[in-house]
Amino acid sequence: MADKSEFDPQLIISHKFPEITYSYTERDTALYALGVGACADDAVNDKELKYVYHHDGQQSIQVLPTFTALFSLDFTSQLAQLPGFQYDPHLLLHGQQYVEIYKPLPSSGCILNKATVAGLHDKVKAAVLEIEVVSYEKDTGEMLCMNRMTVFLRGAGGFSKSSQPYSYTRYLANRTLEYKIPKTQPFSVYEQRTQPSQALLYRLSGDYNPLHSDPAVAEIAGFSRPILHGLCTLGFAVRAIIKCVCRGEPNMIKGISGRFLLHVYPGETLITEMWLEGSRVLYQVKVKERNRAVLSGFVNLDRLSSSL
Ligand SMILES: CCC/C=C/C(=O)SCCNC(=O)CCNC(=O)[C@H](O)C(C)(C)COP(=O)([O-])OP(=O)([O-])OC[C@H]1O[C@@H](n2cnc3c(N)ncnc32)[C@H](O)[C@@H]1OP(=O)([O-])[O-]
């Protein structure tokens, strides 16, 4: 249990993270695509080969829009040094991810990431911390995307000094972030089994937390075995939407929001259900073997495919 006397919300929300440069190559984008299941069931899939191979004479590997979420990860390793912050790193879970994409990513690049604390909430049983990361192309200074990553820190709540639970948000509450999963039949449903080794492959994209690879660490965290990275599940879901709604065109995606509802074990089957609401796709991912919802959210498109 974290020592609440050392928890200082004011220090946390005023913290200035150092800027972090992140460089990647086509090898990284292809490895990422394999990590989120591209071509896993069909190695000659003409809609997905472009993410892993210079298919059909294409000049460069195409980047999946969820690759942008990797830009927020480097800041999780900095949480241990965040002044005024007390938590048990074994109990950290990824709670939510929100991404705005302003420009399709090049297949290789050098990115400058600037992070701030965007929110901090005392949920008593947990502390919820939001980190916002704005990413720029290093050479041109052009803004590429914004990530808002929410971490759910079990056992770190109860730090409020008054009777009102502490809650701070730096961004304006925005109605467009609200969504409700419909009770109606989905527009489309896509099923894909993850591999038992999925987390071992996905971690090579930069999230080396042993929660996803080490049975002993997973057990301390309260799981019977290592669990899948939340961003890997999100990658599967958004790929399903690109396939079923975007007709294979990844650059239609302008925004992604997801809340992780329950852990996924590598090897489980993900069923992504999708509903259309204007140019927004609402989605929910269920694990087939346990019939439980594990992720829900929405994806904003720049337009709807004309053939839908
Ligand atoms: C980050 C990089 C490292 C990556 C790690 C991973 O990938 S780990 C693998 C990927 N991640 C996973 O596998 C995690 C999967 N998710 C889970 O295991 C559970 O959803 C939970 C443990 C996060 C919360 O469950 P619970 O039963 O303890 O919660 P409850 O329903 O009793 O609500 C209490 C309060 O918290 C709020 N709140 C609730 N959920 C979330 C959320 N997701 N997000 C934010 N907030 C959330 C809720 O609104 C409520 O506040 P209110 O309304 O009272 O003001």
Side-chain angles (χ1 to χ4, degrees), residues 1-7 84-89 91 127 153-159:
M1 191 61 70
D3 178 359
K4 301 294 158 22
S5 63
E6 292 184 32
F7 207 106
F85 201 40
Q86 295 292 319
Y87 73 102
D88 179 347
L91 301 182
L153 303 148
R154 292 173 291 164
F159 57 84

Side-chain angles (χ1 to χ4, degrees), residues 2-304:
D3 178 359
K4 301 294 158 22
S5 63
E6 292 184 32
F7 207 106
D8 186 340
Q10 219 41 51
L11 261 185
I12 297 169
I13 65 174
S14 54
H15 181 68
K16 303 256 177 293
F17 289 100
E19 294 177 0
I20 296 183
T21 300
Y22 175 93
S23 295
Y24 65 94
T25 65
E26 288 203 328
R27 188 176 184 283
D28 299 309
T29 56
L31 183 63
Y32 170 80
L34 293 172
V36 297
C39 295
D41 300 332
D42 177 7
V44 294
N45 186 301
D46 66 348
K47 293 260 190 301
E48 294 211 319
L49 262 180
K50 61 187 175 190
Y51 302 127
V52 296
Y53 172 68
H54 293 104
H55 183 43
D56 217 6
Q58 74 191 54
Q59 292 290 304
S60 53
I61 298 273
Q62 192 143 17
V63 187
L64 280 162
T66 41
F67 186 81
T68 49
L70 298 183
F71 301 161
S72 55
L73 278 179
D74 279 339
F75 294 95
T76 47
S77 55
Q78 305 223 352
L79 296 186
Q81 285 94 50
L82 194 58
F85 201 40
Q86 295 292 319
Y87 73 102
D88 179 347
H90 289 111
L91 301 182
L92 178 151
L93 289 173
H94 201 159
Q96 298 182 143
Q97 189 79 18
Y98 173 72
V99 193
E100 290 179 0
I101 300 168
Y102 309 125
K103 201 184 156 197
L105 287 184
S107 63
S108 60
C110 186
I111 309 291
L112 185 65
N113 293 313
K114 299 184 184 183
T116 47
V117 175
L120 178 65
H121 313 274
D122 186 352
K123 301 291 185 191
V124 187
K125 61 159 88 163
V128 169
L129 178 73
E130 299 176 274
I131 313 261
E132 189 169 294
V133 182
V134 183
S135 303
Y136 304 83
E137 200 159 32
K138 191 150 191 238
D139 283 349
T140 62
E142 196 170 2
M143 200 191 291
L144 295 176
C145 58
M146 183 274 277
N147 274 276
R148 203 175 295 132
M149 170 182 67
T150 304
V151 288
F152 192 93
L153 303 148
R154 292 173 291 164
F159 57 84
S160 305
K161 303 275 188 291
S162 75
S163 55
Q164 269 307 86
Y166 182 91
S167 186
Y168 162 82
T169 306
R170 195 172 56 76
Y171 56 93
L172 290 176
N174 188 340
R175 297 272 324 266
T176 62
L177 296 179
E178 291 169 12
Y179 68 94
K180 202 166 179 344
I181 297 300
K183 297 255 187 298
T184 52
Q185 280 294 102
F187 165 80
S188 191
V189 180
Y190 188 77
E191 179 174 321
Q192 188 177 8
R193 184 170 175 253
T194 62
Q195 296 302 313
S197 58
Q198 200 71 51
L200 299 178
L201 176 60
Y202 179 83
R203 72 193 285 275
L204 303 179
S205 286
D207 186 345
Y208 298 105
N209 183 343
L211 171 64
H212 310 292
S213 48
D214 189 322
V217 173
E219 200 182 327
I220 295 170
F223 301 102
S224 58
R225 55 196 163 98
I227 62 172
L228 198 58
H229 303 72
L231 289 181
C232 181
T233 309
L234 186 68
F236 269 79
V238 174
R239 263 187 49 250
I241 292 169
I242 294 170
K243 256 178 192 258
C244 300
V245 181
C246 304
R247 302 281 188 251
E249 177 40 75
N251 295 337
M252 281 173 67
I253 293 188
K254 297 296 164 213
I256 301 165
S257 182
R259 176 181 268 217
F260 303 108
L261 306 170
L262 191 69
H263 59 281
V264 174
Y265 289 114
E268 289 187 312
T269 307
L270 302 176
I271 300 178
T272 304
E273 300 172 320
M274 302 156 238
W275 294 261
L276 301 184
E277 192 185 81
S279 58
R280 174 171 281 190
V281 184
L282 301 166
Y283 70 91
Q284 172 170 263
V285 181
K286 284 183 182 154
V287 159
K288 188 176 185 180
E289 290 77 2
R290 287 180 284 150
N291 191 27
R292 297 284 302 273
V294 292
L295 166 65
S296 74
F298 62 82
V299 163
N300 290 335
L301 308 178
D302 63 347
R303 65 198 137 89
L304 263 193

